[in-house]
């Protein structure tokens, strides 16, 4: 049985190497009954196109950012709530408790996932130092095309962004058509966006993660035993990718500083006001049914416990 | 069965069935034999809505049709004669620069030919150049400028390379692209001077007063490059914005200021323009499906595995690269080609000791020529349609120029020092 | 010309006019929306979220409406190498054959895009602003259906032959 898997990560990248490696391990363990083909670099299209192709069976799975699957599983967005986390310790505490719940949520929505894979914190990077919310809001901020959740967050914050494809962002930064982006450090470096921004606001704007998601009906083609091998290997691999992303992003963050990006710290009052506004934006997302109140509240309880021990 | 159907497709192509039906039929046949649900065809066509840049195509085309329906060409010729009439081949140089600039903004999608073609071809003919030369020049120049910043192909190449942990600075790519791009422009200009040496193209002595008079005459049209450059450099606008503003501006200028186009004629011009755009976009859409078929069958990887196994000298590799990329440029979309092919050939090229910056320039330069490589280069079809000429006439008009540019590409390929001179 | 044929021609002409009007309307809306967005962004510091995704959808609409008109006027881009050497009865035969082939391919595409839209409806795929995607996608089966009919008609009655 062949599993055709698409991903936005390009060939030659460490992520692809890991995916190919796990593919070979599974092939060996199932004595060739299960093989993998990877379609890197986003050649199969954006998240929606990929899901359509999975629906018709041209593809069987994807390594994709969680937002793309939000249509099938709304609550997957809960970890993306703006300014939810202050640092990675909080992330680790929350994920220790909620990873199994979210993973089961994906499975109940028809996607076989094997654990959450970190994408990192997305930070606001700007041309002028953004020391308060008003400055940040008045920037010409880039919004990726075909990304409903980012759009909803922008709406909730009442910002008017400029919608562009990823490939046009560097040019737009160069000409000044946009002057602010929200991106994980790794993205800022590989896509060269850092070269056209000067400042990074040290408030993790959004936590991002991805999943290796296989279509339920594709997995059901396998025998019980093969399904177990698949699950064991992909779970281990997701863990590896998760750890890899964490260290890559930490390295990239430090690299940004040495590449001349100034890290802007928010004074406590501004930070509090910013978090306040983010909480209100999250309320709007909950009201419009994007995230379930109960689940969000449970996460807030965990966060409160860490913040006020 | 498959063989018979493939034969039928080939026959249909030869007897002149619409190009989009051939590509669509080919993709359908391929997916059907791979056992993939043909619903993939509309899914791929729908991917036309993924890209914000595509909006520029209808908008610039509409502007171009409006300009070609008005007396812009006359004014443009008089102005360029006043400005560069003293220089042999002045109009050729102007056409080349205009096309390069426009392609730089819009990519090689054929907008250049559609939008500027109907302006530059009459202008060139009026200046005294032959019809064949004029059409050949514009078709060839429809992808000129892909090597100039901020053309997306070089950026995309840089990003793909970096993702593979190959250090490629995008600025360096831009700088390295400059000499090859200008070499191409200059050699076509030189070819123009030589091939048109028997035509009577009088030199016009330079006169400031005439220049100012002609500049005043076409002052509104001179606003167009101002909008484009100003919008781009000031950072007010992105390309799709620039296209929309240009369309609106040209509409107002030609209908209400010069009054060259009547309000009543607008629906006809708009329909004509969109008929053209529709044809091109539909081909782009079904080409997406065909590219997806090749990707699904892992064709590129298979080809390059073979190359890796069978070619061992650096020169032979470069030659194969040239030929392969030309062919790919003719059948694949340049962006798809970059994403699919670069990860395959970059490691191989590094093994042969080729500089990654140099490879990027070779790659895009070959793709650029692929656009008008017979028999299937996309820009040939677009030009054939735009100028209402049989495709065979386009082959004849562009082939000499293709060889001129091919020579430049060989120089670029085998003389890396020249390309990398500015970078080092 | 019988009454039925006259009526058919009237319907055909009316449909053709509708197509052209739609084409012009889509183009002008696209310009209008884009310019509105620029003004909002640069003068009023705000923007409308639906404009960019809608305009990208309109590109698809333009593509298909434009292709429909091009089909009616038999002006599609093609490799007309052989057609260049044919004339008279031979040319007429070529037109019939190519039109029949095109009708076949378009028919196939009509069927599969109809299935596509049907599944999008069932699965409630959303597009921008949480609107359902399928009504915007209807242009695909509709456009290809019209093209199928036009190519089929041209195969049966090759009305005029484009001079090469
Ligand atoms: Na172009
Ligand atoms: Na191409």
């Amino acid at each position: 049985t062949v599993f055709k898997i698409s991903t936005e990560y390009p060939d030659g990248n460490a992520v692809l190497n890991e995916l190919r490696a796990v593919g070979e391990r599974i092939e060996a363990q199932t004595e060739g009954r299960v093989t993998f083909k990877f379609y890197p670099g986003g050649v199969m299209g954006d998240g929606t196109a990929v899901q359509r192709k999975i629906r018709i069976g041209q593809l069987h799975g994807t390594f994709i950012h969680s937002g793309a699957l939000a249509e099938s599983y709304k609550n997957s967005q809960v970890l993306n709530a703006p300014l939810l986390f202050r640092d990675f310790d909080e992330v680790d505490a929350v994920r220790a408790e909620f990873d199994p719940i979210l993973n089961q949520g994906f499975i109940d929505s028809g996607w076989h996932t094997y654990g959450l894979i970190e994408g990192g914190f997305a930070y606001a990077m700007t041309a002028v130092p953004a020391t308060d919310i008003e400055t940040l809001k008045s920037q010409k901020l880039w919004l990726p095309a075909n990304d409903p959740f980012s759009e909803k967050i922008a709406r909730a914050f009442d910002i008017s962004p400029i919608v562009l494809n990823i490939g046009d962002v560097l040019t737009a930064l160069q000409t000044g058509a946009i002057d602010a982006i929200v991106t994980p450090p790794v993205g800022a470096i590989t896509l060269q966006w850092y070269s056209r921004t000067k400042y990074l606001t040290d408030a993790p704007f959004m936590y991002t993660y991805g999943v290796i998601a296989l279509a339920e009906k594709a997995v059901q083609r396998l025998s019980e035993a093969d399904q177990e091998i698949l699950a064991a290997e992909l779970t281990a691999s997701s863990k590896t990718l998760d750890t890899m992303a964490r260290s890559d992003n930490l390295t990239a963050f430090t690299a940004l500083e040495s590449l001349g990006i100034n890290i802007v710290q928010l004074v406590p009052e501004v930070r509090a006001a910013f978090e306040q506004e983010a909480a209100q934006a999250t309320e709007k997302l909950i009201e419009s049914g994007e995230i379930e109140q109960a689940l969000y509240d449970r996460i807030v309880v965990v966060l409160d416990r860490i913040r006020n021990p | 069965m498959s063989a018979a159907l493939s034969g039928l497709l080939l026959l249909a192509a030869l007897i002149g069935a619409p190009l989009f039906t051939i590509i669509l039929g080919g993709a359908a046949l391929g997916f059907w034999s791979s056992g993939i649900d043909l619903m993939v065809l509309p899914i791929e066509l729908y991917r036309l809505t993924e890209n914000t840049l595509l909006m520029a195509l209808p908008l610039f085309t509409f502007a171009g049709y409006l300009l070609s329906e008005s007396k812009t060409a006359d004014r443009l010729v008089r102005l360029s004669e006043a400005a560069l009439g003293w220089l042999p081949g002045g109009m050729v140089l102007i056409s080349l620069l205009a096309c390069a600039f426009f392609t730089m903004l819009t990519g090689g999608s054929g907008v250049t030919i559609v939008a500027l073609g109907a302006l530059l071809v009459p202008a060139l003919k009026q200046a005294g150049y032959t019809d064949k030369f004029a059409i050949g020049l514009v078709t060839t120049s429809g992808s000129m400028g892909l090597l100039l910043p901020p053309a997306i192909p070089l950026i995309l190449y840089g990003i793909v390379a970096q993702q593979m942990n190959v250090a490629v600075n995008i600025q360096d790519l831009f700088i390295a692209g400059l000499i090859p791009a200008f070499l191409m422009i200059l050699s076509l200009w030189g070819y123009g001077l030589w091939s048109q040496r028997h035509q009577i193209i009088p030199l016009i002595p330079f006169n400031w007063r005439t220049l100012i008079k002609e500049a005043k005459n076409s002052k509104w049209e001179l606003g167009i490059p101002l909008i484009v450059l100003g919008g781009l450099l000031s950072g007010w606008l992105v390309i799709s914005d620039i296209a929309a503003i240009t369309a609106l501006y040209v509409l107002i200028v030609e209908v209400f200021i010069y009054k060259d186009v009547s309000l009543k004629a607008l629906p006809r011009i708009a329909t004509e323009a969109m008929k053209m755009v529709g044809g091109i976009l539909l081909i782009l859409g079904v080409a997406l499906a065909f590219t997806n078929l090749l990707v699904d069958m892992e064709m590129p990887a298979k080809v390059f595995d073979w190359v890796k196994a069978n070619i061992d000298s650096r020169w032979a590799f470069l030659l194969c690269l040239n030929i392969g990329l030309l062919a790919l440029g003719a059948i694949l979309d340049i962006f798809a080609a970059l994403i699919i092919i670069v990860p395959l050939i970059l490691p191989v090229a590094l093994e042969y000791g080729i500089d990654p910056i140099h490879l990027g320039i070779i790659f895009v330069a070959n793709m650029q020529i692929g656009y008008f490589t017979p028999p299937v280069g996309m820009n040939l079809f677009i030009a054939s349609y735009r100028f209402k000429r049989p495709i065979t006439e386009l082959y004849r008009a562009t082939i000499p120029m293709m060889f001129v540019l091919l020579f430049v590409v060989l120089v670029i390929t085998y003389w890396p020092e020249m390309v990398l001179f500015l970078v080092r | 010309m019988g009454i039925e044929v006259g009526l058919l021609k009237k319907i055909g002409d009316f449909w053709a006019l509708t197509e052209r009007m739609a084409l012009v309307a889509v183009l002008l809306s696209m310009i209008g929306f884009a310019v509105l967005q620029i003004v909002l962004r640069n003068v009023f510091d705000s923007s409308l979220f639906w404009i960019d995704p809608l305009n990208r959808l309109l590109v698809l609409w333009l593509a298909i409406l434009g292709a429909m008109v091009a089909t009616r006027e038999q002006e599609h881009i093609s490799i007309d190498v052989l057609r260049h050497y044919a004339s008279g009865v031979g040319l007429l035969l070529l037109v019939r054959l190519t039109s029949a082939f095109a009708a076949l391919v378009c028919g196939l595409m009509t069927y599969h895009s109809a299935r596509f839209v049907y599944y999008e409806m069932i699965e409630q795929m959303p597009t921008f602003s949480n609107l359902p995607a399928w009504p915007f996608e209807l242009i695909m089966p509709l456009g290809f259906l019209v093209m199928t009919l036009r190519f089929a008609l041209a195969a049966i009655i090759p009305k005029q032959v484009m001079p090469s």
Side-chain angles (χ1 to χ4, degrees), chain A residues 15-155:
Chain A
V15 170
L16 251 292
N17 296 342
E18 170 58 27
L19 289 177
R20 290 195 197 281
V22 74
E24 278 161 27
R25 287 198 297 273
I26 294 173
E27 185 174 346
Q29 287 181 46
T30 58
E31 287 153 348
R33 287 188 301 279
V34 181
T35 56
F36 283 82
K37 278 188 184 177
F38 294 97
Y39 297 92
V43 284
M44 284 290 175
D46 68 7
T48 328
V50 164
Q51 286 177 69
R52 288 185 173 121
K53 289 175 181 179
I54 292 176
R55 189 172 70 208
I56 63 167
Q58 184 193 9
L59 295 173
H60 307 101
T62 173
F63 175 22
I64 203 162
H65 63 98
S66 63
L69 302 182
E71 260 328 301
S72 358
Y73 178 42
K74 291 270 181 196
N75 269 340
S76 64
Q77 304 177 118
V78 69
L79 296 185
N80 308 130
L83 275 87
L84 182 65
F85 302 108
R86 288 177 188 163
D87 53 42
F88 282 119
D89 291 339
E90 294 189 355
V91 170
D92 291 338
V94 167
R95 281 193 45 189
E97 199 169 329
F98 289 88
D99 268 18
I101 299 173
L102 291 172
N103 198 52
Q104 190 57 45
F106 279 112
I107 293 174
D108 295 340
S109 323
W111 294 101
H112 265 266
T113 56
Y114 303 90
L116 277 50
I117 299 164
E118 187 153 284
F121 280 134
Y123 297 91
M125 295 183 72
T126 46
V128 294
T131 45
D132 57 76
I133 312 165
E134 286 320 307
T135 320
L136 204 56
K137 276 182 150 186
S138 66
Q139 300 300 303
K140 285 189 275 182
L141 176 74
W142 165 59
L143 188 78
N146 309 315
D147 185 354
F149 191 69
S150 301
E151 182 194 313
K152 280 163 198 151
I153 290 191
R155 267 178 205 268

Side-chain angles (χ1 to χ4, degrees), chain B residues 13 19 37 49 275 381 385, chain C residues 56 73 75 77 79 115 119:
Chain B
L19 187 59
D37 189 333
T49 64
K275 204 164 72 182
F381 295 113
Y385 188 47
Chain C
R56 273 184 283 124
E73 299 172 12
E75 280 189 32
I77 299 177
I79 319 177
R115 284 179 60 219
Y119 280 105

Side-chain angles (χ1 to χ4, degrees), chain B residues 62 66 69 255 260-272, chain C residues 24:
Chain B
F62 178 53
L66 277 173
E69 289 274 336
V255 176
D260 282 353
V261 173
S262 73
L263 208 51
K264 257 169 58 190
L266 267 188
R268 178 184 58 81
I269 298 173
T271 323
E272 285 301 311
Chain C
V24 176

Side-chain angles (χ1 to χ4, degrees), chain B residues 204-415:
Chain B
I204 299 155
F206 185 78
N207 179 327
W208 273 110
R209 281 172 126 177
T210 327
L211 179 63
I212 293 168
K213 192 188 108 214
E214 292 304 340
K216 272 188 181 157
N217 262 339
S218 32
K219 60 171 183 270
W220 292 104
E221 275 131 357
L222 288 178
I224 300 168
L226 278 182
I227 292 178
V228 175
L229 271 178
L232 200 69
L233 297 179
S234 72
W236 269 37
L237 307 168
V238 291
I239 301 292
S240 48
D241 292 346
I242 291 176
I245 297 267
T246 307
L248 186 67
Y249 177 84
V250 170
L251 182 75
I252 292 170
V253 167
E254 301 302 343
V255 176
F256 297 104
I257 298 177
Y258 286 125
K259 297 197 171 70
D260 282 353
V261 173
S262 73
L263 208 51
K264 257 169 58 190
L266 267 188
R268 178 184 58 81
I269 298 173
T271 323
E272 285 301 311
M274 291 310 105
K275 204 164 72 182
M276 169 90 211
V277 168
I280 295 176
L281 279 173
L282 196 57
I283 291 176
L284 282 180
V286 297
L288 278 174
F290 193 78
T291 304
N292 186 243
L293 172 70
L294 295 182
V295 170
D296 190 275
M297 290 164 41
E298 297 178 303
M299 261 328 207
K302 284 174 190 160
V303 171
F304 278 94
D305 282 345
W306 182 88
V307 168
K308 224 171 156 176
N310 290 284
I311 292 170
D312 34 43
S313 105
R314 174 180 165 168
W315 301 110
F317 173 74
L318 282 174
L319 192 67
C320 285
L321 191 65
N322 275 328
I323 296 169
L325 289 179
L326 269 185
L328 277 175
I331 55 171
L332 277 188
D333 167 61
I334 187 164
F335 299 114
L338 280 163
I339 292 170
I340 301 163
I341 308 298
V342 171
L344 295 170
I345 62 166
L346 188 54
V348 188
L350 290 177
E351 274 175 38
Y352 289 111
I354 296 162
D355 186 292
I357 302 271
H358 185 209
L359 181 72
I361 305 296
I362 296 178
F363 199 99
V364 177
N366 276 290
M367 287 275 138
Q368 179 191 329
I369 299 185
Y371 274 104
F372 50 90
T373 302
V376 288
M378 183 64 195
N379 281 0
L380 292 169
F381 295 113
I382 292 174
S384 150
Y385 188 47
R386 181 66 175 112
F387 304 128
K388 304 260 182 289
R389 304 295 172 86
I391 190 88
T392 42
E393 201 177 316
L394 263 304
Y395 293 165
R396 280 194 296 272
T398 50
I399 280 178
M401 297 185 200
M402 190 185 93
F403 280 113
V404 171
L405 290 187
L406 215 50
F407 178 74
V408 178
V409 167
L410 287 179
V411 173
I412 293 172
T413 309
Y414 296 102
W415 189 10

